[in-house]
Amino acid sequence: LHFFLLSAQMPWTGRSYYEGVTLVALVSLLDLLVPAHCVRILGETHDEINDPARLLSADVKRHAQLLLKGLEDQHSHKRIMRDNSFFTQCGRADAQLRELSDTNLELHGIGKLAKSGDFFTSSKRRWLLKAINSGEKTALINLGGVRPKNSAYKDCTGLRESLLVQIPLIFDGPDGRPYIVMRNETQRLMQIVSGSWKMHDSYDVKPLPNLSGDLAKLVCALRSSWLSKLAPLSRWDGWSTVRSVLDRDFKILETNSKVDFSLFIHVLRCGLVTCRDWSPTLLDESSTTEGLVGELGCIMEPTGAVLVCFSILDYLMEYGIGRKFESATKHDKFSNYGEKLLHAFDCLGGLDAESCEGYYDYSNILAAGESETKAVLMGTSTFQESYECTVETPRIRYEVPQVYISMTPFYSTKVVDDPSGEYRQGSSKTVMLNEEFQLDDGSFVAGNGQYDQGIAQWLQNKASREHGAYVVGHGYIDFLDSEYKEGNSNNRSNLHELDESELQACKDGIEEFSTNSWRSERHTSLGNVVWAPKVKSIFVVRGKNKFYSNDKVVERMRENHCFMKTRFYRCQVMTGNRVIFDWKRTFGSIEVLQVVPSQSSGIDFEVDRKLHGFRRTSSAV
């Protein structure tokens, strides 16, 4: 400063003393305005400036020390105390903060694993550091207003039992962004169980109708992997306790307008022959060893062979105006979010529980290709519980003239199934008739056009994977030909021999029903064509267009003399307009074509043969 003032008086500078004083004041003002972390960065070596992980490692240690000092005297470092007030209550973060204040973490960047920014991990993957946005920082600060005595936690014991993944430290990094530090939950569990248990898998699960790929993977594992051979999770030791703790945490988050949080689920398998001989020592919650079951988040399979552990991740999203708008446009994905996630937990405990059809079927729906989803839907329990259907059959009928002789003769017409005994045969016309439908229990649904859930249940039963049904695509042609031939060879009394053009009419109709669209052809892969061996039928499943119906395709099939047994089903959702899995996968009304190659259409086939005989346009197939 003395040198600067002296130089300001020298003639060659062209400045007066007072100008020099003014410049000094401006420099001092800039020094006050520039953040301390920027000044510190300017003082670092070149290597440190180009190594953000190194700077962050030092910052973690420094801020952990500051927070511990603030916790000791309660009067200093008020800003960092405010930012970290939630998890520092009841001494919950003390041990972790002491470790962070004494340790150089040696962080390593692992990329952008979230929308908000970078992730770093310590060298032994014990700690994770994540960059968050300002909204998430505010959400965590707001949680600091939760006091155990005035909340669902009731006291410090309740807070310590919380399954929220702990964030012992939040601070502003050298780049000005907020960062959170938390234990690596997977590594924490593995450290607790030592070498006795092996980590099998982990899942990040959100409730429907949110998009959740890990949810589908977990449901698939519960349905078809080795987990499906064990008792349902709801019967495992500790289930009711874990549910109670999760319910309490969800209510705290919902009360504080938090949404989009996840269940973080770990599955561990015991590496010992006799797990139960080992487990009580570790799982004794009164011991000094960090435990697992009950309030501490894990459930144990009755034989002691498997542990499933639960915690709560990503709970820093506020349910503000933007999220409310997003929720409204995506089937209320965030409304009553805590209740939805608890319902998801209940369904994971037993996929056959009440109102859990959507979770049971989600893995199949998610795994299906775009053209296959409706075909897969028809075979799900969701379809059975949520839809009702009506059934129609196409029939060729004849409009024949009648002459009435009176004082003034006049003509009229009537419609009959068989015109052979009439004065004139008249013209033929294909119509769709409601069919009296027999269910599996022997009861009948009246053919009055009324929708009935029993028909939907019959369809689901016949088109489900459990009964061998599967998507065949273009392979339907082979099934149609083979079943037609087998039907004729085994049922000579019900022979329905078709010529080549009549067989082709059936194939063309199936393909048109599968691909027809008012814009252009769709589903050209025929992913919506299913072979159902239980009823030896080909099913084609289409969504109902708002402007037209595919019943015209079925009528054309019969007009072109496809005399195989054919049914047309109209199915609609019983409650509301659509069935919702996640906000991208929703289903409304559908239309289904059923063709039974081994059986004739019945009366109109018999009448046609009586009137016209067998039309052999070329060699019969």
Side-chain angles (χ1 to χ4, degrees), residues 172-189:
D172 291 333
D175 56 359
R177 290 190 297 174
Y179 287 85
I180 56 174
V181 183
M182 52 191 172
R183 278 293 308 273
N184 180 343
E185 184 68 8
T186 303
Q187 191 275 343
R188 183 185 76 87
L189 288 172

Side-chain angles (χ1 to χ4, degrees), residues 394 479-481 483-485 496 498 502-504 506-507 510 538 557-558 561-567 594-602 604-605:
F479 284 102
L480 186 144
D481 288 339
E483 284 299 317
Y484 164 71
K485 292 176 182 177
H496 68 292
L498 307 180
E502 292 169 334
L503 279 171
Q504 191 61 43
C506 296
K507 297 173 185 177
I510 289 172
I538 296 165
M557 289 174 68
R558 186 54 49 85
H561 296 154
C562 171
F563 286 117
M564 292 179 178
K565 183 175 181 179
T566 304
R567 285 173 171 158
Q594 178 189 6
V595 177
V596 187
S598 60
Q599 297 181 33
S600 78
S601 62
D604 55 357
F605 169 71

Side-chain angles (χ1 to χ4, degrees), residues 111-141:
K112 292 189 176 183
L113 303 183
K115 295 178 181 178
S116 54
D118 300 326
F119 258 88
F120 297 83
T121 180
S122 62
S123 56
K124 295 182 179 180
R125 304 189 73 83
R126 177 177 173 82
W127 293 95
L128 294 174
L129 186 142
K130 173 188 174 184
I132 62 174
N133 59 44
S134 58
E136 291 171 316
K137 177 182 177 181
T138 301
L140 185 55
I141 293 173

Side-chain angles (χ1 to χ4, degrees), residues 172-211:
D172 291 333
D175 56 359
R177 290 190 297 174
Y179 287 85
I180 56 174
V181 183
M182 52 191 172
R183 278 293 308 273
N184 180 343
E185 184 68 8
T186 303
Q187 191 275 343
R188 183 185 76 87
L189 288 172
M190 290 308 300
Q191 183 180 22
I192 294 171
V193 299
S194 186
S196 303
W197 295 77
K198 304 298 181 184
M199 184 65 65
H200 176 74
D201 215 337
S202 62
Y203 306 90
D204 185 341
V205 170
K206 295 182 186 296
L208 297 177
N210 293 264
L211 300 179

